Amino acid sequence: MNKNRLKKHNIDIMFLMILFLIFTFSAVSVLLLAVNSYKAVVVSNEKNSNTRAATAYIREKVRQHDKSGSIDISQIDGIEAIKMDEGEGYYLYIYYLDGYLMELEAKDDAGVTADFGNQLIKINNLEFSWKNTQLIEVEVEEATGEKRVVDIGVKSALYIDDNTADSEGLTEEEVANEN
């Protein structure tokens, strides 16, 4: 009788050990799946954050400098840039150089070059253009090759193109009313 009881006890212990191993394996599997899923989300967010950060930064700077006539697209050292008036002869330039979104604050006649600027965010390319008299189109190409196009409204600054018909001799209000 003792022998049967001992065998039954060993089978119970083996069953519990196998059940514990299955539970442990399942828990570790679910944990690994969650880690891989989290990793994919983080990589995806990082991938989009550079482009969003670059466009958000440019948008914020344009909005901070949104005063009549203070924003223009010009060139610094032969590179296309958004030029914003800081006052007292200083200008803030935002442009693309050597794989980075760059920012440079300098006097207009200081003779600085584009490589004096501060590197902000790693990107592949950056292009600006006026869509109309109060809308700047910004195209950012992220380091992964993904492109993002953003239109930034310039509420108080009017860009009057030399080729715009019937705009000469008009005040800013009259030009705005025509559009």
Side-chain angles (χ1 to χ4, degrees):
M1 189 90 171
N2 258 347
K3 226 177 188 188
N4 282 340
R5 188 175 258 194
L6 188 60
K7 282 185 182 179
K8 190 175 187 183
H9 188 63
N10 286 339
I11 292 174
D12 288 342
I13 290 175
M14 288 295 269
F15 176 74
L16 288 175
M17 291 295 281
I18 291 173
L19 191 61
F20 177 74
L21 288 174
I22 290 173
F23 173 76
T24 304
F25 178 74
S26 298
V28 169
S29 297
V30 168
L31 185 63
L32 288 175
L33 287 172
V35 166
N36 287 337
S37 170
Y38 178 76
K39 190 176 184 180
V41 169
V42 168
V43 166
S44 176
N45 281 342
E46 282 182 11
K47 186 176 172 184
N48 290 327
S49 71
N50 277 354
T51 306
R52 283 184 285 157
T55 55
Y57 179 79
I58 295 168
R59 182 184 306 121
E60 184 61 30
K61 285 297 182 181
V62 168
R63 287 182 181 162
Q64 285 175 0
H65 293 86
D66 197 0
K67 301 183 288 257
S68 182
S70 67
I71 300 171
D72 196 9
I73 296 176
S74 69
Q75 293 201 357
I76 179 168
D77 200 22
I79 298 171
E80 189 176 70
I82 294 180
K83 179 181 177 182
M84 296 169 271
D85 188 1
E86 293 269 298
E88 299 180 22
Y90 285 91
Y91 292 92
L92 178 69
Y93 297 90
I94 296 179
Y95 54 96
Y96 168 78
L97 180 69
D98 296 333
Y100 286 93
L101 175 67
M102 304 286 285
E103 174 186 68
L104 174 65
E105 184 177 349
K107 276 199 164 216
D108 200 24
D109 58 355
V112 296
T113 60
D115 57 344
F116 285 12
N118 297 321
Q119 295 178 345
L120 300 176
I121 300 171
K122 187 164 183 58
I123 57 176
N124 277 349
N125 195 19
L126 177 66
E127 294 178 12
F128 311 106
S129 63
W130 285 103
K131 245 184 153 173
N132 60 36
T133 58
Q134 293 182 322
L135 200 60
I136 297 175
E137 182 178 81
V138 178
E139 183 178 321
V140 177
E141 183 180 339
E142 166 182 323
T144 62
E146 189 175 329
K147 291 184 181 182
R148 181 176 291 251
V149 178
V150 176
D151 294 333
I152 302 173
V154 181
K155 295 178 183 166
S156 62
L158 285 177
Y159 174 79
I160 301 173
D161 189 4
D162 293 335
N163 298 327
T164 303
D166 300 322
S167 65
E168 291 184 24
L170 299 177
T171 64
E172 288 181 0
E173 289 179 10
E174 292 171 331
V175 172
N177 290 335
E178 283 184 359
N179 295 329

